[in-house]
Amino acid sequence: MNVGEMGTLSLQGTIGKRKNNAFTQTNSVFGYIPTSEEYYETSENTSKDEGLQFNALATYIRNFDLNGHKLETGLQIMGSNNEGITDLTEYKSDNDWNLIYPVYTQSNIENNDNIRIRFNADYTKPFKDGGKLEAGYLARIEDSDSHFELNTIDEEGLNIETDSTLNDLNIFRNIQAVYGVYSNTIGYLGYQVGLRTEYTGRDVNQITTDQKYEIDRIDLFPSLHLSYKFASGDQLQASYSRRVNRPRDRQLNPFPQYMDSRNIRMGNPFLEPEFIDSYELNYMHQFFMSFISAEAFFRKTNNVMTMVQNITDDGTIVSTFDNLNNDESYGVEAMASLQLFEWWRFTLSTSIYRYTISGETSGEYVDNSSLSWNGRLMSMFTLPWNMRIQLNGIYNSEKASAQG
């Protein structure tokens, strides 16, 4: 709705209920070294979860003129709760997968309550010489409470005592950011330079053991984009940017979660965000309603978040997460997006790159590399009555990891 002559206010919201039931059956063959003995096992997993979720958004736009000078603000509140139970039974089987008797039974109960608040204020000021200034502020508050219960029964019908029978966890995040971006052109050369300053506060409160893990840090994210447009319409682009990936809640929870009788997953409350520096050089040729492009790139990630697995003396696989020093990838990418007919667009891209990951984890130094490649294709068909069919294909080759 309109607020005065130059303002607009919009309100929207949704509320819904989610319910999901699933059943999976897995057949496994285990070999034991140094003997050649094989052990056949069938596992049945039944899961049920349901919950409520809501989303409310208010947006206000204040236009100062008709040339793009404006202030846009938004407040979004999202929340959800979830109650889930997962029952797992592992059976000893014969080689025809006939069930003989249960050897392990596990019941997991997981309840979650989440609230997220997001506020943004974005200011845009165009100038008469073609330049444009963009500046803004962003606040994100996230509060998550989780409750876990685990019950396990062995083949003799006895309850297995574990360290994670009960687990209560709270994770609170406070992210505040300010940014500024200026863009303009000099002849055929366009440029954009920007800087974002971000504060991150994170509290992981392991209520069960009364342990707290805190992070307070300030990070800078500069960016630079250059583009040169030739008289033919082709474009040459160069850019640098820095971005962040933050760990998820499950990656932070320090209590062990028993996925089955042979797999345990543990989070790392000291896990830090990873930061990616990207350098790209791209050339694009446009013709009719199609284009082809070639790109060279170099990307470096510091504080790489990676999964680390260790095997205990009894053969149990324990998976957790750790920060390595860095990884690097450099290579080339080619893309073609072709409008073959009015009703058919075909896009194909492929890249080949050298990938290296290094650092120290579990007291061991890691330095692995690989020559990898990937390919993507997308075929879009436009049908009558504004209908579309899209087919996608993705291939990723093997890539070096922290443990292989």
Side-chain angles (χ1 to χ4, degrees), residues 265-330:
R265 182 175 63 193
M266 298 176 63
N268 177 3
F270 299 103
L271 194 64
E272 296 184 2
E274 62 180 21
F275 300 89
I276 303 98
D277 292 282
S278 298
Y279 304 82
E280 299 176 355
L281 180 65
N282 177 275
Y283 186 86
M284 179 184 295
H285 172 65
Q286 295 179 311
F287 55 99
F288 302 108
M289 298 179 65
S290 306
F291 73 86
I292 56 175
S293 66
E295 178 181 285
F297 62 86
F298 173 76
R299 302 183 182 105
K300 182 175 182 178
T301 305
N302 294 301
N303 276 357
V304 181
M305 295 187 298
T306 188
M307 177 179 285
V308 179
Q309 293 183 322
N310 296 294
I311 301 178
T312 63
D313 293 338
D314 64 357
T316 302
I317 299 175
V318 180
S319 301
T320 187
F321 299 89
D322 203 355
N323 289 111
L324 296 184
N325 287 352
N326 61 72
D327 72 4
E328 295 181 353
S329 62
Y330 60 89

Side-chain angles (χ1 to χ4, degrees), residues 173 175 198 200-202 215-217 219 221 242-248 251-252 269-276 301-305 322-325:
R173 290 182 175 92
I175 301 170
E198 188 172 277
T200 300
R202 189 187 75 195
I215 283 183
D216 287 282
R217 60 184 302 156
D219 299 288
F221 299 90
R242 188 171 192 252
R243 59 187 178 88
V244 60
N245 285 334
R246 297 182 178 85
R248 299 175 180 270
Q251 294 174 295
L252 297 172
F270 299 103
L271 194 64
E272 296 184 2
E274 62 180 21
F275 300 89
I276 303 98
T301 305
N302 294 301
N303 276 357
V304 181
M305 295 187 298
D322 203 355
N323 289 111
L324 296 184
N325 287 352

Side-chain angles (χ1 to χ4, degrees), residues 44-314:
E44 295 181 344
N45 192 308
T46 302
S47 62
K48 301 177 181 180
D49 67 85
E50 61 181 24
L52 295 173
Q53 56 191 23
F54 70 90
N55 185 356
L57 174 63
T59 302
Y60 174 72
I61 301 175
R62 174 66 166 89
N63 294 294
F64 300 101
D65 57 34
L66 300 179
N67 300 316
H69 185 197
K70 63 180 179 179
L71 173 66
E72 181 174 352
T73 60
L75 176 63
Q76 185 175 28
I77 302 175
M78 296 170 286
S80 65
N81 75 327
N82 183 79
E83 297 180 358
I85 182 170
T86 302
D87 294 321
L88 170 70
T89 302
E90 296 175 354
Y91 296 89
K92 179 178 174 58
S93 307
D94 59 26
N95 55 9
D96 291 322
W97 307 115
N98 296 309
L99 306 184
I100 300 177
Y101 56 82
V103 295
Y104 180 83
T105 299
Q106 172 180 295
S107 179
N108 271 308
I109 297 175
E110 180 176 348
N111 300 326
N112 298 295
D113 290 289
N114 303 283
I115 186 75
R116 289 177 290 170
I117 301 174
R118 184 183 188 275
F119 174 78
N120 68 283
D122 301 292
Y123 174 76
T124 304
K125 170 62 176 176
F127 298 98
K128 293 181 180 179
D129 64 354
K132 183 169 67 173
L133 174 66
E134 298 172 270
Y137 166 76
L138 172 67
R140 287 171 50 190
I141 306 295
E142 301 176 3
D143 193 13
S144 173
D145 288 298
S146 302
H147 172 78
F148 304 89
E149 292 184 23
L150 170 68
N151 293 290
T152 53
I153 305 295
D154 64 13
E155 59 185 301
E156 297 179 356
L158 300 176
N159 185 63
I160 302 175
E161 295 293 334
T162 68
D163 294 331
S164 61
T165 303
L166 294 174
N167 177 20
D168 290 292
L169 178 75
N170 174 264
I171 298 178
F172 179 81
R173 290 182 175 92
N174 176 19
I175 301 170
Q176 310 281 331
V178 292
Y179 74 91
V181 178
Y182 180 77
S183 60
N184 207 337
T185 58
I186 303 175
Y188 290 105
L189 177 66
Y191 64 91
Q192 181 187 85
V193 59
L195 177 65
R196 186 174 88 252
T197 302
E198 188 172 277
Y199 163 78
T200 300
R202 189 187 75 195
D203 297 333
V204 178
N205 184 6
Q206 182 48 258
I207 300 172
T208 305
T209 58
D210 194 27
Q211 293 176 296
K212 296 182 179 181
Y213 311 85
E214 299 179 355
I215 283 183
D216 287 282
R217 60 184 302 156
I218 294 177
D219 299 288
L220 301 178
F221 299 90
S223 64
L224 175 65
H225 299 270
L226 302 173
S227 64
Y228 186 86
K229 190 170 185 179
F230 297 91
S232 62
D234 292 1
Q235 278 194 339
L236 179 66
Q237 301 171 330
S239 67
Y240 163 75
S241 63
R242 188 171 192 252
R243 59 187 178 88
V244 60
N245 285 334
R246 297 182 178 85
R248 299 175 180 270
D249 288 0
R250 288 185 180 276
Q251 294 174 295
L252 297 172
N253 187 359
F255 248 62
Q257 291 181 274
Y258 291 75
M259 312 308 295
D260 54 43
S261 62
R262 294 179 177 86
N263 291 276
I264 299 174
R265 182 175 63 193
M266 298 176 63
N268 177 3
F270 299 103
L271 194 64
E272 296 184 2
E274 62 180 21
F275 300 89
I276 303 98
D277 292 282
S278 298
Y279 304 82
E280 299 176 355
L281 180 65
N282 177 275
Y283 186 86
M284 179 184 295
H285 172 65
Q286 295 179 311
F287 55 99
F288 302 108
M289 298 179 65
S290 306
F291 73 86
I292 56 175
S293 66
E295 178 181 285
F297 62 86
F298 173 76
R299 302 183 182 105
K300 182 175 182 178
T301 305
N302 294 301
N303 276 357
V304 181
M305 295 187 298
T306 188
M307 177 179 285
V308 179
Q309 293 183 322
N310 296 294
I311 301 178
T312 63
D313 293 338
D314 64 357

